Amino acid sequence: NNFIKIYNSIKIIIKNNPSIKFYFHLGLNNKKNLKYKKLNKLNDENSNLFLTNNIKNMTNFLSSFDIAITACGITALDLIYLKVPSIYITNENKENNTAKKLHLLKLGFFIGKMTLENKKKLYNILNNLILNYKLRKEIYNIMKSLVSKTSNKNLIKIFK
């Protein structure tokens, strides 16, 4: 499960940054789900870690983020539109291709599959984004320029 791999990769960052809120959106509709229960135990270890599973207004939720770790589906495009610098993690070949394009356009960082090497890469990129406001602002400005120059339809054409 990528959630556990991601958590294990960044748990030191979570613990060392108690003033930063870390949200894991699970997309699981049932809180009785075994995966949800297992992941919910992580809340006991981290007062700054929050698990979500049913967000009524996803746009408002995502727009409050400074950084996102996401797969590379529709949510990745939403995050570009909202100008949220992102790290892309996915096991899907189609999403990997999209994530590579976003990385080349400097709209985020491509990690790919959560291998041991990529866990270290995730840690380093996330830590750098947290510590480097200038980098986050540069990515924000690239996204702002892209979004202001194109409509959503044109944004989608870039990735075809």
Side-chain angles (χ1 to χ4, degrees), residues 34-45:
L34 187 60
K35 284 182 189 176
Y36 188 88
K37 286 181 178 182
K38 183 177 179 183
L39 292 167
N40 201 35
K41 290 180 183 180
L42 301 175
N43 280 345
D44 297 337
E45 300 173 24

Side-chain angles (χ1 to χ4, degrees), residues 2-155:
N2 270 350
F3 288 113
I4 296 296
K5 290 178 183 177
I6 292 168
Y7 171 78
N8 286 333
S9 299
I10 66 171
K11 66 183 172 186
I12 293 170
I13 294 174
I14 294 170
K15 289 180 189 303
N16 289 341
N17 292 280
S19 63
I20 298 175
K21 294 178 182 175
F22 292 84
Y23 289 89
F24 278 62
H25 181 67
L26 306 175
L28 302 170
N29 291 326
N30 185 351
K31 288 188 176 185
K32 294 179 182 178
N33 182 297
L34 187 60
K35 284 182 189 176
Y36 188 88
K37 286 181 178 182
K38 183 177 179 183
L39 292 167
N40 201 35
K41 290 180 183 180
L42 301 175
N43 280 345
D44 297 337
E45 300 173 24
N46 305 281
S47 61
N48 59 335
L49 176 67
F50 303 91
L51 302 179
T52 62
N53 73 325
N54 189 10
I55 303 296
K56 298 209 184 305
N57 189 329
M58 188 59 83
T59 299
N60 285 347
F61 179 66
L62 294 175
S63 67
S64 69
F65 293 177
D66 292 317
I67 301 167
I69 299 172
T70 184
C72 211
I74 296 299
T75 301
L77 296 177
D78 291 338
L79 290 163
I80 292 169
Y81 183 77
L82 296 169
K83 297 173 269 324
V84 177
S86 300
I87 300 170
Y88 308 111
I89 297 171
T90 182
N91 293 326
E92 302 295 326
N93 288 334
K94 184 178 178 180
E95 288 185 1
N96 271 327
N97 292 334
T98 302
K100 288 175 185 175
K101 288 180 184 180
L102 296 177
H103 180 88
L104 290 173
L105 292 169
K106 299 185 179 183
L107 298 170
F109 295 90
F110 171 68
I111 299 288
K113 296 180 181 182
M114 285 304 297
T115 62
L116 184 59
E117 180 181 320
N118 285 344
K119 285 181 181 183
K120 293 175 186 173
K121 186 177 175 182
L122 170 60
Y123 176 90
N124 290 332
I125 291 170
L126 179 59
N127 200 47
N128 188 32
L129 281 170
I130 289 170
L131 297 175
N132 191 340
Y133 173 76
K134 184 179 175 186
L135 176 60
R136 290 196 317 272
K137 187 70 173 173
E138 286 173 13
I139 296 167
Y140 171 90
N141 286 333
I142 292 168
M143 290 174 168
K144 182 177 178 182
S145 174
L146 178 67
V147 170
S148 67
K149 289 180 183 176
T150 63
S151 70
N152 287 345
K153 290 179 184 177
N154 288 335
L155 183 62

